[in-house]
């Protein structure tokens, strides 16, 4: 361990000291190497822990330069709020918390950066280590004994599971954009393996494996290789790395392997400030919101924001809000935090800016008017009520699918919340993979795109379902949110027509009169045609959240003719969470 005084902006109450490369013992004899950022003053302070795979010693511009460049261009207030010297991926600005009297414990999880061991993301062992770091921090001479957890995305995911283990000294959590649902909310949307993100993300993690000689990243404090002084051979690296992708492929159903990577929701009882983002389409968005609804804590708040997925937590107003929450539950300040709306939802406009904020006391918002848009198969549009006469539409599962577009809106439309699609379907194949895309169009016919975490031109929302996974959990499902169990396959019989309910991920939108909504149902990922002038690797609508793995999607299983049925009691409809008078 090395202790050094760090440069900070001369604001706030304290300067900052760093205890670098502290070895924290784990219960099984292993260790986690952490950095401890402390106020430069005697006394005890509450601690915030954040452990992840991206490198505790990496500056944001080192491993995510595009995000840093975005801040420089579009959010200079972040850099004006501190020195900017300690900005890191998926973390709020460390400097801003330490100067207000908090200790930040930043750890490299096992097998990554400076911490030796098996690189096994989101494993039960990793979450036990998270518990041990909380309890270690509470026992240090610089800590008051009260500990919280902080962080974005990966650093938020672990908070749910660790909190469900109930560490005695964990006082609160602040998961910012982090799904608790490891199956449907991360690796297998609707039961379909998301190979695009999973493979791409895993390849990036291998670069930062402990002992890797090929790591291009440099420690921001020493200038040395980020993966530590030890160099492991190719064989040693392979032996210390889980078969992450292959293991996910080996578990197509929800089983014990998945369950032990998810929280005991009812056991999360500490105060929780949960932040979701509409831009988390495909990853984190749905799972973050649903975790808020499921945890046992009586003291919980939800904010659903918009804006850049990776940088909103660094904004001065976000830092101030987080500090108010931590001041209340880690410093026992009577600062009126409880007067914050239990739920606060941003509504996006057609310009992808926040149109307004809607406060409430529950999710979905109590004033939601659930409105069914009934599919008219003949007109490929929507009808005011269920279509009476029998109708069907066939389409090739490998083609572009079938689109249902509304007439131009005769009055403004605002919706915010979960969305559901009810269909009756059959197929020439034993299974169907259904991809649902909700799009918006301006009066001139131009599509209205939205920024998401991995896609600059995302649709309004998307949903996925493998039809053999259509069975729902009657205890958890609601009229607006079907919850599939994913614990068994129910293959289709020839000619069999089945009812399916597809959860379309939560979304918000305020559309003026004259705009249109379109529902696209297809048998493959939503991808716009390739622009001949687009740079190599440019995304096409779904970002990295694509589903093309031939092991998970063999052609003989689901490539064929899909049929949508309606009429004669089969009410195919899109259920929208309309907010009247918004």
């Amino acid at each position: 361990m090395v202790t050094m005084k760090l440069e900070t902006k001369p604001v706030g109450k304290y300067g900052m000291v760093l205890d670098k490369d502290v070895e924290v013992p784990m219960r099984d004899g292993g260790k986690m190497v952490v950095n401890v950022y402390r106020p430069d003053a005697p006394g005890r302070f509450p601690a915030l822990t954040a452990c992840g795979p991206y490198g505790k010693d990496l500056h944001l511009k080192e491993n995510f330069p595009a995000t840093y460049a975005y801040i420089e261009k579009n959010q200079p207030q972040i850099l004006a709020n501190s020195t900017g010297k300690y900005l890191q991926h998926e973390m709020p600005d460390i400097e801003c918390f330490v100067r207000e009297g908090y200790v930040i414990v930043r750890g490299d999880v096992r097998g990554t950066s400076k911490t030796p061991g098996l690189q096994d993301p989101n494993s039960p062992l990793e979450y036990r280590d998270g518990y041990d770091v909380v309890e270690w921090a509470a026992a240090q001479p610089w800590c008051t004994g009260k500990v919280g957890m902080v962080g974005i995305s990966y650093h938020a995911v672990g908070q749910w599971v660790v909190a469900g283990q109930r560490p005695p000294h964990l006082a609160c959590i602040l998961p910012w954009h982090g799904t608790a649902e490891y199956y449907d909310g991360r690796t297998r949307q609707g039961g379909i393996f998301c190979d695009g993100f999973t493979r791409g993300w895993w390849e990036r993690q291998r670069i930062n494996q402990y002992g890797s000689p090929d790591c291009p990243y440099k420690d921001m404090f020493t200038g040395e290789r980020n993966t530590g002084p030890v160099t492991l051979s190719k064989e040693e690296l392979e032996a210390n790395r889980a078969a992450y992708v292959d293991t996910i492929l080996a578990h197509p159903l929800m089983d014990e392997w998945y369950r032990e990577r998810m929280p005991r929701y009812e056991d999360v009882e500490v105060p929780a400030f949960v932040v979701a983002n509409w831009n988390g389409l495909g990853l984190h968005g749905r799972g973050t919101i649903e975790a808020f609804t499921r945890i046992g804590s009586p003291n919980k708040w939800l904010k659903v924001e918009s804006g850049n997925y990776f940088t909103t937590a660094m904004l001065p107003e976000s830092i101030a809000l987080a500090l108010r929450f931590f001041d209340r539950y880690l410093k026992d300040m009577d600062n009126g935090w409880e007067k914050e709306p239990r739920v606060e939802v941003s509504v996006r406009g057609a310009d992808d800016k926040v149109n307004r904020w809607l406060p409430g006391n529950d999710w979905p918002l109590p004033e939601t008017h659930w409105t069914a848009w009934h599919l008219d198969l003949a007109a490929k549009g929507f009808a005011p009520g269920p279509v009476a006469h029998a109708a069907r539409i066939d389409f090739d599962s490998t083609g572009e699918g079938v689109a249902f577009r509304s007439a131009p809106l005769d009055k403004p439309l605002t919706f915010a919340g979960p969305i559901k699609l009810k269909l009756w379907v059959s197929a020439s194949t034993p299974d169907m993979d259904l991809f649902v895309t909700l799009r918006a169009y301006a009066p001139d016919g131009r599509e209205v795109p939205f920024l998401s975490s991995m896609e600059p031109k995302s649709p309004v929302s998307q949903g996925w379902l493998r039809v053999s996974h259509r069975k729902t959990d009657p205890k958890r499902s609601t009229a607006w949110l079907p919850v599939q169990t994913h614990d068994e396959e129910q293959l289709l019989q020839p000619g069999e027509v089945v009812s399916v309910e597809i959860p379309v991920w939560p979304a918000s939108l305020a559309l003026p009169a004259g705009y249109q909504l379109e529902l696209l149902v297809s048998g493959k990922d939503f991808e716009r045609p390739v622009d001949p002038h687009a740079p190599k690797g440019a995304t096409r609508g779904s970002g990295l959240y694509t589903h093309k793995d031939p092991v998970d999607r063999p052609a003989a299983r689901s490539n064929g003719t899909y049929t949508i049925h309606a009429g004669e009691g089969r009410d195919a409809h899109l259920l929208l969470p309309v907010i009247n008078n918004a």
Side-chain angles (χ1 to χ4, degrees):
M1 182 189 80
V2 175
T3 298
M4 60 185 77
K5 182 176 174 60
L6 299 179
E7 178 189 351
T8 57
K9 192 167 185 174
V11 295
K13 302 172 184 176
Y14 303 100
M16 185 160 67
V17 170
L18 170 65
D19 297 330
K20 186 179 181 334
D21 295 339
V22 180
E23 295 187 357
V24 179
M26 300 290 105
R27 70 185 75 175
D28 66 348
K31 65 182 179 182
M32 183 184 296
V33 180
V34 307
N35 285 349
V36 178
Y37 296 84
R38 299 184 285 110
D40 185 14
R44 295 174 180 267
F45 305 90
L48 299 170
T49 68
C51 305
Y54 301 122
K56 66 179 178 58
D57 295 308
L58 293 182
H59 192 276
L60 181 64
K61 63 183 176 183
E62 174 74 7
N63 56 342
F64 286 86
T67 304
Y68 189 79
Y70 179 90
I71 291 173
E72 287 185 308
K73 180 179 179 181
N74 301 288
Q75 296 172 324
Q77 65 269 43
I78 291 176
L79 299 178
N81 199 35
S82 72
T83 64
K85 291 180 176 292
Y86 316 106
L87 293 178
Q88 295 190 307
H89 182 57
E90 295 187 355
M91 281 292 295
D93 193 336
I94 291 170
E95 182 179 338
C96 296
F97 287 85
V98 175
R99 72 190 184 198
E100 297 301 327
Y102 288 91
V103 176
I104 304 289
V105 180
R106 284 282 288 121
D108 290 330
V109 295
R110 293 202 201 203
T112 67
S113 298
K114 305 294 195 306
T115 297
L118 177 67
Q119 187 182 26
D120 190 8
N122 302 113
S123 66
L125 178 59
E126 187 172 292
Y127 295 138
R128 287 196 295 271
D129 288 351
Y131 177 116
D132 290 349
V133 170
V134 167
E135 291 304 297
W136 172 86
Q140 299 311 298
W142 36 254
C143 187
T144 60
K146 281 198 168 187
V147 181
M149 300 182 76
V150 71
I152 309 163
S153 192
Y154 197 102
H155 300 92
V157 169
Q159 294 183 46
W160 303 110
V161 185
V162 172
Q165 298 173 13
R166 295 179 173 175
H169 293 90
L170 182 64
C172 60
I173 58 173
L174 203 170
W176 203 291
H177 312 165
T179 181
E181 167 56 61
Y182 193 61
Y183 185 95
D184 206 357
R186 179 167 173 180
T187 58
R188 290 183 172 273
Q189 293 91 351
I192 310 168
F193 175 51
C194 183
D195 63 305
F197 176 78
T198 304
R199 292 185 187 278
W201 181 85
W202 180 233
E203 284 303 312
R204 190 176 186 113
Q205 304 324 300
R206 291 170 56 160
I207 294 172
N208 210 34
Q209 184 179 0
Y210 171 82
S212 172
D214 301 321
C215 178
Y217 306 133
K218 304 299 181 184
D219 184 312
M220 63 179 170
F221 300 108
T222 67
E224 297 173 353
R225 191 187 74 200
N226 185 61
T227 49
V230 175
T231 297
L232 299 182
S233 67
K234 181 179 179 181
E235 292 74 23
E236 289 172 318
L237 289 168
E238 188 72 27
N240 282 286
R241 186 168 58 231
Y244 182 68
V245 175
D246 289 345
T247 303
I248 292 172
L249 279 170
H251 293 270
L253 298 175
M254 173 69 80
D255 57 14
E256 188 58 31
W257 186 85
Y258 272 104
R259 282 188 285 270
E260 66 183 5
R261 285 160 173 77
M262 291 158 59
R264 298 190 296 267
Y265 292 93
E266 67 279 4
D267 290 340
V268 180
E269 296 182 331
V270 295
F273 178 30
V274 182
V275 183
N277 193 315
W278 298 125
N279 296 341
L281 183 58
L283 178 68
H284 295 314
R286 176 186 168 188
T288 304
I289 294 172
E290 290 183 20
F292 165 80
T293 67
R294 297 185 66 187
I295 61 174
S297 174
N299 297 306
K300 57 183 180 179
W301 289 262
L302 172 67
K303 179 179 180 180
V304 188
E305 62 179 12
S306 191
N308 187 287
Y309 188 85
F310 296 107
T311 63
T312 56
M314 303 176 190
L315 291 168
E317 57 268 32
S318 297
I319 297 288
L321 193 62
L323 282 169
R324 284 190 62 222
F325 173 72
F326 287 131
D327 285 348
R328 174 65 186 90
Y329 292 106
L330 295 178
K331 294 183 178 179
D332 297 317
M333 289 186 182
D334 185 9
N335 59 7
W337 172 263
E338 287 85 350
K339 296 179 182 178
E340 287 288 325
R342 286 292 177 144
V343 175
E344 191 173 25
V345 175
S346 67
V347 178
R348 296 181 299 181
D351 58 358
D352 201 12
K353 296 180 181 178
V354 175
N355 178 276
R356 73 204 78 172
W357 285 90
L358 300 176
N361 57 20
D362 202 358
W363 175 272
L365 293 169
E367 64 267 34
T368 302
H369 177 65
W370 299 102
T371 304
W373 286 28
H374 305 274
L375 270 62
D376 184 337
L377 303 194
K380 292 186 178 179
F382 296 95
V387 176
H389 299 291
R392 59 182 283 168
I393 289 183
D394 299 331
F395 64 93
D396 182 352
S397 67
T398 64
E400 298 309 311
V402 57
F404 302 86
R405 188 177 293 199
S406 74
L409 297 172
D410 59 3
K411 60 181 180 180
L413 171 69
T414 297
F415 60 85
I419 302 168
K420 183 182 80 172
L421 177 62
K422 174 88 170 189
L423 293 177
W424 273 260
V425 296
S426 62
S428 64
T429 49
D431 208 349
M432 304 171 70
D433 286 344
L434 293 176
F435 297 77
V436 176
T437 305
L438 189 62
R439 306 168 78 180
Y441 290 86
D444 62 3
R446 171 182 48 85
E447 184 182 1
V448 178
F450 299 89
L451 175 70
S452 69
S453 62
M454 298 284 182
E455 170 59 63
K457 294 184 178 181
S458 171
V460 177
S461 190
Q462 293 174 286
W464 301 263
L465 182 65
R466 175 159 287 167
V467 170
S468 63
H469 288 217
R470 63 189 176 276
K471 187 180 80 171
T472 57
D473 182 342
K475 293 182 179 179
R476 290 185 52 207
S477 296
T478 65
W480 55 81
L481 179 65
V483 178
Q484 277 78 28
T485 61
H486 298 293
D487 59 0
E488 66 170 311
E489 287 187 338
Q490 297 178 338
L491 295 176
L492 295 170
Q493 300 301 314
E496 181 184 17
V497 179
V498 299
S499 169
V500 295
E501 293 187 318
I502 304 170
V504 181
W505 282 35
S508 76
L509 187 57
L511 285 179
Y515 279 68
Q516 295 173 281
L517 281 178
E518 180 184 88
L519 172 71
L520 174 66
V521 181
S522 64
K524 65 175 186 177
D525 291 301
F526 167 64
E527 291 182 306
R528 299 182 185 90
V530 176
D531 185 330
H533 304 293
K536 182 179 180 181
T539 52
R540 300 166 56 190
S542 294
L544 295 179
Y545 306 116
T546 54
H547 310 73
K548 301 179 181 181
D549 187 86
V551 174
D552 183 68
R553 303 191 66 208
R557 181 185 176 100
S558 57
N559 284 6
T561 300
Y562 289 3
T563 304
I564 300 174
H565 303 262
E568 295 187 340
R570 293 169 174 162
D571 178 19
H573 64 268
L574 180 71
L575 190 67
L576 286 175
V578 174
I579 307 295
N580 291 327
N581 303 316

